[in-house]
Amino acid sequence: MSIYGALYSGVSGLSAQSNAMGMISDNIANVNTTGYKGVSARFSTLVAQSASETLYAPGGVRSAPLRNIDKQGQLQGTASATDLAVAGKGFFVVADRPGGVTGTQYLFTRAGSFRPNAAGDLVNAGGYYLQGWPITPGSTTPTSGSTFTGLETINVANLNGTARATTNLELALNLPSTVLPSEQTSDVAMEVNLNSAAVAGTTHDVVTTVNDPTGVAQTVTYRWTKLAAANQWTFEALAPAGGSVNNGGPTTVVFDPATGRPTSGFPPPDPLYSWNNGSTSTIDVGSYGNAITETAAASASTATQYNDQYLATVQVYDDLGNTHDMQLAFTKTAPNDWSMTVLNPTLNGATSGIVANLPRTIQFSGGVPSLINMPPITIDWSVGSTGATNSTIALDAGTVGSPDGIIQFSGNFILNSAEQDGVTFGNFRGVSVSEEGVVTALFDNGEQLDIAQIPLGMFPNPNGLEGRTGNAYSATAESGNFLLNRPKIGGAGLIASSSLEASNVDLAEEFTKMIVTQQAYSASSKIITTADEMLDELIRIAR
């Protein structure tokens, strides 16, 4: 009985060691497989019940796989933002097909080498589709869950950037505490209403005073002349006394008969003046509010001059992403008192919007604001041809009593910053993934759009998972039920973007195990040959 038992024990040793060799071979073959978790052999005895205390019944040995799924592999950096690795506990949730159609099988993996396919779905090397909770404006994603409901395949195709209109404008500048009246005029803001019923040749003059480069006050005249064509006038600056002016020729201004506003030709080219004292200067002609109109009857006209030092040009955006230049003119009205006028914005040199002319004032005490009256800027974009929706821009001139916005100290007029929140249209340029698993689309205008939240699957016993082809796992009774958590919540690890988790196989250890397994296999085979010789001896006794 013992000889036969020894024979079968040797056979069980061959089976157990060959099974162990299979595990070692898989480990070595997958030493470069992303996220692969090594398998080791667990040996246990097979014990046969002995008939008496003086006899021994050999049983043998068996081996079973022990998966080291909970053993972290080394993280390796890559150049792709969609290469993902889990640092800590948890698994990516993947599906064998996109779209969540009937029959979809959900699995778990640590293999995060995801790449967009032709449809834009993120797929790893095993052909599995990355799943996540979609992020939509006005909605919230779950923190955790125990169901696949709500998961969708993460897709990075057809992501288009949008433009955003300016809604907030923050100003930080210094207004000089001492204003000299002899500063050179650089800008004239005009307000005029022309008579739509005027006959051809009718003129309408706007007269104002400006300062030449030497600080001398000069009288200038701007002339509007009615043309024979309906709703058309010419505009030109006339030569000052004792000097000359170069307009580049009179400019034809065309008015919209429905709105009475210019559709082309205004603002005109900047006139270049040669003054009677030999100095020269260029003065920009613009307007503010609904300042240039043509209606049934003419009305009084005005023009206000501004200096280089007190004129700030900022850029604002409409909701279609068009960039408009808008000038802010500051005028000192009394000691420590200033007013601000917002001139009409321009696009490509032409008036593109009408600003509501509201009083805006700021008072100072000790160089910092003591009173700020800055109502929002409302802009009517219908004067232009962009088709943009009208805008309302909140003005932030700082905090009363704090030097965090507009201030008044000695020195020059300095625009430190003009921050606004509008952006032009942006093209998609890639994605990023945060440690918390938020997938964000990036656009070349600086805009970012969160599109998905990646959850991590958690198990009470991850080593009890069942392996599947493609380096994925499915839940079993031994692993326990899964729980989906956001990364860094509930014990889940974090997600490392532009990284991959290497196999946790130690090649040197596997080769050592292979030698030991080979020797154990040879020893088991020797048991069989020795038992066979003993049986031969037993048979020869009977001859």
Side-chain angles (χ1 to χ4, degrees):
M1 180 65 181
S2 295
I3 297 178
Y4 276 102
L7 186 66
Y8 290 127
S9 180
V11 172
S12 71
L14 292 179
S15 176
Q17 298 303 328
S18 62
N19 193 31
M21 182 60 72
M23 301 177 202
I24 294 171
S25 64
D26 251 5
N27 290 341
I28 294 176
N30 287 280
V31 70
N32 289 324
T33 300
T34 300
Y36 177 78
K37 302 300 180 180
V39 183
S40 57
R42 271 192 309 186
F43 294 93
S44 59
T45 58
L46 292 172
V47 178
Q49 186 66 39
S50 300
S52 67
E53 294 183 357
T54 59
L55 296 176
Y56 180 77
V61 65
R62 65 182 177 184
S63 63
L66 172 63
R67 300 186 180 275
N68 301 310
I69 298 176
D70 61 351
K71 182 180 178 182
Q72 176 79 49
Q74 183 178 3
L75 301 190
Q76 301 173 338
T78 70
S80 174
T82 56
D83 280 339
L84 307 176
V86 178
K89 298 179 179 180
F91 299 82
F92 298 112
V93 182
V94 293
D96 62 349
R97 66 191 72 181
V101 297
T102 302
T104 297
Q105 184 178 23
Y106 292 94
L107 301 171
F108 303 88
T109 186
R110 301 271 292 197
S113 56
F114 296 102
R115 291 289 191 279
N117 62 9
D121 297 323
L122 292 183
V123 187
N124 68 4
Y128 293 112
Y129 297 83
L130 179 63
Q131 303 296 296
W133 291 311
I135 297 177
T136 56
S139 66
T140 57
T141 57
T143 301
S144 61
S146 58
T147 176
F148 298 121
T149 301
L151 291 177
E152 295 181 4
T153 299
I154 297 178
N155 186 286
V156 296
N158 301 319
L159 294 173
N160 294 319
T162 59
R164 185 175 66 237
T166 300
T167 57
N168 293 282
L169 177 61
E170 298 180 6
L171 297 174
L173 55 88
N174 180 60
L175 297 170
S177 57
T178 302
V179 178
L180 299 177
S182 60
E183 291 165 342
Q184 176 184 348
T185 298
S186 64
D187 293 80
V188 168
M190 186 175 300
E191 186 173 5
V192 60
N193 180 41
L194 303 171
N195 187 354
S196 60
V199 298
T202 300
T203 59
H204 186 104
D205 291 346
V206 181
V207 182
T208 190
T209 300
V210 299
N211 295 328
D212 67 22
T214 66
V216 175
Q218 302 276 1
T219 299
V220 294
T221 300
Y222 300 102
R223 175 163 294 174
W224 295 83
T225 303
K226 182 67 176 69
L227 296 178
N231 308 116
Q232 293 188 18
W233 295 71
T234 60
F235 174 88
E236 63 178 325
L238 302 184
S244 62
V245 64
N246 181 5
N247 287 299
T251 302
T252 299
V253 182
V254 179
F255 290 85
D256 185 342
T259 64
R261 298 170 179 171
T263 59
S264 64
F266 198 90
D270 298 343
L272 172 61
Y273 287 94
S274 296
W275 307 104
N276 50 19
N277 56 16
S279 63
T280 61
S281 63
T282 299
I283 298 180
D284 178 65
V285 179
S287 64
Y288 59 89
N290 195 20
I292 308 298
T293 55
E294 182 196 45
T295 60
S299 59
S301 302
T302 62
T304 305
Q305 62 131 345
Y306 297 97
N307 302 315
D308 279 333
Q309 291 171 293
Y310 312 114
L311 195 74
T313 301
V314 298
Q315 286 189 332
V316 295
Y317 295 86
D318 61 32
D319 63 341
L320 300 181
N322 297 296
T323 307
H324 304 262
D325 291 330
M326 187 172 66
Q327 293 182 317
L328 311 176
F330 294 87
T331 303
K332 192 167 188 176
T333 57
N336 296 319
D337 290 356
W338 292 77
S339 67
M340 186 184 82
T341 302
V342 182
L343 306 186
N344 288 336
T346 60
L347 177 63
N348 299 325
T351 299
S352 54
I354 300 297
V355 176
N357 189 19
L358 299 175
R360 295 179 175 88
T361 57
I362 184 168
Q363 296 177 359
F364 295 93
S365 177
V368 297
S370 60
L371 177 64
I372 298 176
N373 176 31
M374 292 286 173
I377 301 171
T378 58
I379 306 176
D380 180 359
W381 298 115
S382 63
V383 67
S385 58
T386 62
T389 304
N390 295 343
S391 297
T392 299
I393 303 175
L395 274 172
D396 184 358
T399 307
V400 171
S402 299
D404 58 354
I406 299 179
I407 54 178
Q408 179 194 245
F409 289 101
S410 64
N412 296 324
F413 176 90
I414 300 175
L415 178 63
N416 295 315
S417 67
E419 300 291 337
Q420 59 84 38
D421 58 356
V423 293
T424 187
F425 175 78
N427 296 305
F428 175 73
R429 66 177 181 85
V431 297
S432 68
V433 182
S434 69
E435 291 184 350
E436 292 76 17
V438 178
V439 182
T440 303
L442 307 176
F443 302 92
D444 59 10
N445 62 354
E447 282 290 272
Q448 300 182 3
L449 177 65
D450 295 339
I451 60 175
Q453 168 70 62
I454 299 175
L456 293 179
M458 307 289 292
F459 291 90
N461 176 29
N463 291 327
L465 292 170
E466 181 181 349
R468 295 296 184 90
T469 299
N471 202 10
Y473 304 94
S474 61
T476 65
E478 187 178 353
S479 69
N481 294 327
F482 69 88
L483 179 66
L484 303 183
N485 284 338
R486 289 190 188 182
K488 303 175 72 172
I489 293 179
L494 60 85
I495 292 181
S497 178
S498 299
S499 301
L500 291 175
E501 182 181 6
S503 167
N504 64 359
V505 171
D506 185 334
L507 194 58
E509 182 181 353
E510 295 303 317
F511 279 125
T512 302
K513 288 181 179 179
M514 183 161 45
I515 294 172
V516 173
T517 301
Q518 179 187 15
Q519 294 298 326
Y521 188 89
S522 298
S524 294
S525 65
K526 190 64 176 175
I527 293 175
I528 296 174
T529 56
T530 303
D532 179 56
E533 291 175 359
M534 294 174 68
L535 287 172
D536 282 345
E537 289 294 330
L538 183 61
I539 292 172
R540 281 195 292 268
I541 292 174
R543 292 176 181 171

